[in-house]
Amino acid sequence: MKLFIETLGCAMNSRDSEHMIAELTEKEGYETTNDFREADLILINTCSVREKPVSKLFSELGVFNKKKKPDAKIGVCGCTASHLGEEIIKRAPYVNFVLGARNVSKISEVLHKDRAVEIDINYDESEFAFNDFRTSSYKAFINISIGCDKSCTYCIVPKTRGDEISIPDTLIINEAKKAVDAGAKEIFLLGQNVNNYGRRFSGEHEKVNFSELLRRLSKIEGLERIRFTSPHPFHMDDEFIEEFAKNPKICKSMHMPLQSGSSKVLKEMKRGYTKEWFLNRVEKLRKECPEVSISTDIIVAFPGESDEDFLDSLDVMRQVRFNQIFSFKYSARPETEAEHFTNTVDEEVASLRLTTLQNLHTEILDEINATSLGKTYKVYFEDLIQDYYVSGRSDDNIVIKVKGSDELLGQFRDVKITSIGRTILTGEVVA
Ligand code: SAH
Ligand code: SF4
Ligand code: F3S
């Protein structure tokens, strides 16, 4: 029996896909395939965060249905499953089941039911442990919390993933140890607000905050690198920044999702911080950890964003000089507060702002990258890429490739940069 799985969206979805693969291979005897035409089960693990992928879902389902093996089953999982539920089967009656983002542990159950729809966002795994499967043996994604308690007015995630619940640190540490025993030297902690960790557990549990969790994890022998996403600027207190700076196992790359540089827009978004707070946290971070690289998420053309507000986003870009940005045009989402805001920005203006922002970032990035030429970075190699290249990341999250074979995978090497590209730097191993 063969399983084809397409994963959209964020790292949490990737981890959910790994969980589903584990359940299906161990309990149901499936093996994975990259070709949906030979699959007995086709799963799409969907994302709802912006409208485009959602509208593409039904055309994609149509193609799967037309070209699949005649008796192959189709399941829609993830965030769009959570928010559209039953409607998916109404619009695409050949879909066999719908399984929400909070319910992935029920994959075996729904597989044997006819047209099951499992989308309870209050559903809580009594145990957060699944059968395990990892796409990479060098790096392990580990959930530290599920759901989100914030109410950013543009965002659908709290509706698709439910309340924020932290996973007990003992389970996280065990999972990390297991991954390290299996050969991973890096772990990647996942949650919508990782630095709000420990606020609520599903049962009685010792109060452990994110800084303490990081301290405990860093004691694991054989574990060399810890990364995490996403921290929230609102919760970036001094304790967290100081732990980040002084703990040698924590990679010096911080994601600081700005969303907007305008305090007025941030208020409308209910982000809980101002432009000044954000810049103050960047200043503190750079003071404690001068080598840090900073990435961000920015939304342009949120309802009511004036030219002046947009200039504030550009101003923060110029002041912070982010190493990486993920930028999006605002997309109205169902069941969010901002869906009802009427002061929308023209599509043309939105497109122009996005291009302006991205062009500015390209300029900044070219300047940053130019300073990397000739520098040496410690790289952890994770992927084999075409033409006999192996790629990995530096501590501060730069993607670097060198000529080499799979012998380098899972190894740390010092690499001197010999040429610069926008998304990847090339170098040679020097030690
Ligand atoms: N928990 C994370 C974000 C998860 S969603 C945080 O708070 O940073 C990932 C990114 O998608 C967000 O940071 C935001 O930039 C973007 N996003 C979310 N909703 C959006 C919407 N309605 N329109 C456009 N971009 C959106
Ligand atoms: Fe969405 Fe805000 Fe929660 Fe991030 S913090 S997932 S943007 S509601
Ligand atoms: Fe992730 Fe998309 Fe859901 S970003 S949390 S898969 S809506």
Side-chain angles (χ1 to χ4, degrees), residues 49-50 152 154-157 192-193 230-232 255 257 259 271 297-299 326 328-333:
V49 84
R50 281 166 292 276
C152 304
Y154 52 82
C155 183
I156 198 171
V157 173
Q192 292 300 348
N193 285 301
S230 293
H232 195 297
H255 188 59
Q259 313 303 359
R271 286 292 286 176
D297 290 353
I298 300 183
I299 297 174
F326 300 92
F328 315 100
K329 255 191 259 180
Y330 167 71
S331 163
R333 306 307 298 123

Side-chain angles (χ1 to χ4, degrees), residues 74-89:
I74 299 181
V76 177
C77 316
C79 286
T80 309
S82 301
H83 101 259
L84 290 182
E86 192 84 42
E87 198 189 319
I88 295 178
I89 296 191

